[in-house]
């Protein structure tokens, strides 16, 4: 199965700063890569599909890029509500797999 | 409004069985593949099973293959997960997910496997 490695495991930033999260796949997933945000006690919330397409209702401060094996989620100006855990997911091969997550915490 | 509501979770002993249900509303249920995704405490999500629109095509993750069976009733807009030979490592919150871009998730039902 495809292994997704996210880095860093924890990212400590202040509101207003730019967050850059990485996801690397063990083999090419083309652009079949999604990003999710998860807060405690809630299901994951879809942010980005197909590497760079924002889901419905997701603000423009969230952007995704990459293809093949290397992907990036960028949050251009952190709001207090953006501090959460972020997961990437590949949908190129079954079983669809998720990364282990990046925790974005307030510095 | 799309709604997915899971039920059937609880505490079960190792080796036991449990059947999860997911009630769907607000979309054309029969037109979409559906997935079960679980998340163990403090871990990332894991895709457990997938089922096609007609209920014939199914896929399973290696960790549950041969133990779990997914099914659906399109007339009732229901998705099911029959879990047999449960192990402590199956302890997780189980979500049903609309497989069309994973936009819609239920709130999950907690399964705890422990003696």
């Amino acid at each position: 199965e495809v292994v997704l490695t996210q880095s860093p495991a924890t990212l400590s930033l202040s509101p207003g700063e730019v967050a850059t999260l990485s996801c690397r796949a063990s083999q090419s997933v083309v652009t079949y890569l999604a990003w999710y945000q998860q807060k405690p006690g809630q299901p994951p919330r879809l942010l980005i599909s197909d590497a760079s397409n924002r889901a419905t209702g997701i603000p423009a401060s969230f952007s995704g890029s990459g293809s093949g094996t290397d992907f990036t989620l960028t949050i251009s100006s952190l709001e207090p509500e953006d501090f959460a855990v972020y997961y990437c997911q590949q949908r190129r091969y079954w079983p669809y797999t998720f990364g282990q997550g990046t925790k974005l915490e307030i510095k | 409004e799309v709604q997915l509501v899971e039920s059937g979770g609880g505490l079960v002993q190792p080796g036991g069985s449990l059947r999860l249900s997911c009630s769907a509303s607000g979309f054309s249920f029969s037109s979409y593949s559906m997935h079960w995704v679980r998340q163990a405490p403090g871990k990332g999500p894991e895709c457990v099973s997938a089922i096609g629109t007609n209920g014939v095509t199914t896929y399973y993750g290696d960790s549950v293959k041969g133990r779990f069976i997914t099914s659906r009733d399109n007339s009732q807009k229901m998705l099911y997960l029959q879990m047999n030979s449960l192990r402590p490592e199956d302890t997780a919150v189980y979500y049903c997910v609309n497989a069309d871009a994973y936009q819609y998730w239920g709130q999950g039902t907690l399964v705890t496997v422990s003696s």
Side-chain angles (χ1 to χ4, degrees):
Chain A
E1 68 179 37
V2 178
V3 176
L4 299 179
T5 303
Q6 292 185 241
S7 61
T10 303
L11 186 57
S12 299
L13 294 171
S14 300
E17 291 193 294
V18 176
T20 303
L21 288 66
S22 295
C23 177
R24 175 164 288 179
S26 59
Q27 64 187 87
S28 175
V29 296
V30 194
T31 56
Y32 295 96
L33 194 287
W35 290 95
Y36 298 84
Q37 176 194 72
Q38 189 175 33
K39 297 180 179 179
Q42 297 182 16
R45 175 194 181 197
L46 178 67
L47 300 174
I48 302 285
S49 286
D50 299 329
S52 61
N53 296 330
R54 271 190 308 277
T56 303
I58 302 303
S61 58
F62 289 88
S63 63
S65 64
S67 65
T69 61
D70 291 299
F71 301 87
T72 300
L73 175 70
T74 302
I75 311 171
S76 60
S77 179
L78 287 166
E79 300 286 346
E81 61 268 25
D82 296 335
F83 292 90
V85 179
Y86 291 82
Y87 293 100
C88 58
Q89 179 204 28
Q90 66 81 19
R91 303 178 192 167
R92 178 69 178 90
Y93 300 102
W94 182 262
Y96 297 167
T97 48
F98 291 81
Q100 82 283 10
T102 290
K103 182 179 182 181
L104 179 55
E105 63 177 26
I106 299 177
K107 186 174 182 180
Chain B
E1 180 194 3
V2 173
Q3 281 199 315
L4 295 165
V5 180
E6 302 92 341
S7 60
L11 175 64
V12 61
Q13 291 189 337
S17 297
L18 214 52
R19 189 195 197 202
L20 305 184
S21 301
C22 171
S23 175
S25 61
F27 67 101
S28 180
F29 178 74
S30 61
S31 299
Y32 293 94
S33 296
M34 296 293 295
H35 292 186
W36 285 99
V37 177
R38 70 183 181 185
Q39 188 169 25
K43 303 292 187 181
E46 176 191 7
C47 290
V48 170
S49 72
I51 185 165
T53 55
N54 60 9
V56 174
T57 304
T58 56
Y59 299 96
Y60 298 93
D62 287 344
S63 61
V64 306
K65 203 172 293 183
R67 300 188 298 124
F68 289 13
I69 299 171
T70 187
S71 61
R72 65 191 296 164
D73 183 339
N74 286 341
S75 67
Q76 299 295 317
K77 298 186 178 181
M78 294 291 295
L79 176 70
Y80 302 101
L81 185 66
Q82 176 67 43
M83 303 186 296
N84 302 318
S85 303
L86 283 161
R87 305 168 180 169
E89 55 265 35
D90 295 318
T91 294
V93 175
Y94 285 73
Y95 298 100
C96 66
V97 183
N98 181 316
D100 180 32
Y102 273 54
Q103 176 88 28
Y104 303 108
W105 297 58
Q107 285 300 308
T109 186
L110 176 62
V111 173
T112 304
V113 185
S114 175
S115 54

